[in-house]
Amino acid sequence: MIDNEGFDVGCIWFTDEAHFHLNGFVNKQNWRFWGSENPHLCEEKPLHSLKVTAWVALALQDWPRIEWFMQDEARPHRTEKVFRFLGEYFGNRVIALDYPKFTGTGMDWSPYSPDLIPCDYFL
């Protein structure tokens, strides 16, 4: 779409959320370690800790018109209620896993693609 139809990636609103645990625990879900040796990490995980969740939307241009809305592939984001909400506000300008199957419009998140949302690397 970028090459053939002049799709402007600067007009995509990328979204993601993060959980901040109040006890100081750091969720390293999106951290990646690349190396030839095992780093021998030990990660403590509390069973239930208090946390605050922040949701962020990021556009690559300064406040563009909302052309496309992209959400990650997390299962809670792919419910009928969420898809109805997205359809009401963004119509066919949604990039999300299973969205085209539900609505018949929008762009499907590529299967087995890595989570390359800029929020994971920029914030």
Side-chain angles (χ1 to χ4, degrees):
M1 278 184 74
I2 293 170
D3 293 336
N4 297 336
E5 299 175 27
F7 186 81
D8 184 1
V9 234
C11 290
I12 297 176
W13 284 88
F14 299 96
T15 65
D16 208 351
E17 69 281 334
H19 305 289
F20 298 93
H21 295 262
L22 301 180
N23 66 0
F25 171 75
V26 177
N27 181 1
K28 299 178 184 134
Q29 174 183 346
N30 291 322
W31 289 15
R32 304 291 182 257
F33 295 96
W34 299 93
S36 58
E37 297 179 20
N38 184 342
H40 302 288
L41 293 176
C42 179
E43 184 176 340
E44 293 182 24
K45 291 186 177 185
L47 184 58
H48 300 287
S49 66
L50 296 176
K51 61 186 165 250
V52 175
T53 300
W55 179 84
V56 176
L58 173 73
L60 302 179
Q61 294 180 358
D62 291 336
W63 202 253
R65 296 184 326 250
I66 296 179
E67 293 290 336
W68 287 82
F69 180 87
M70 180 183 224
Q71 71 180 75
D72 64 17
E73 77 283 5
R75 186 165 298 285
H77 302 163
R78 296 175 10 227
T79 65
E80 181 178 338
K81 188 174 184 178
V82 170
F83 284 161
R84 287 191 194 285
F85 173 83
L86 292 175
E88 182 178 332
Y89 288 95
F90 300 102
N92 66 344
R93 299 176 321 273
V94 175
I95 303 169
L97 187 60
D98 295 334
Y99 186 76
K101 278 191 238 176
F102 180 79
T103 64
T105 64
M107 186 186 312
D108 206 2
W109 182 287
S110 300
Y112 308 109
S113 66
D115 186 357
L116 297 177
I117 298 291
C119 301
D120 286 341
Y121 304 96
F122 177 73
L123 300 176

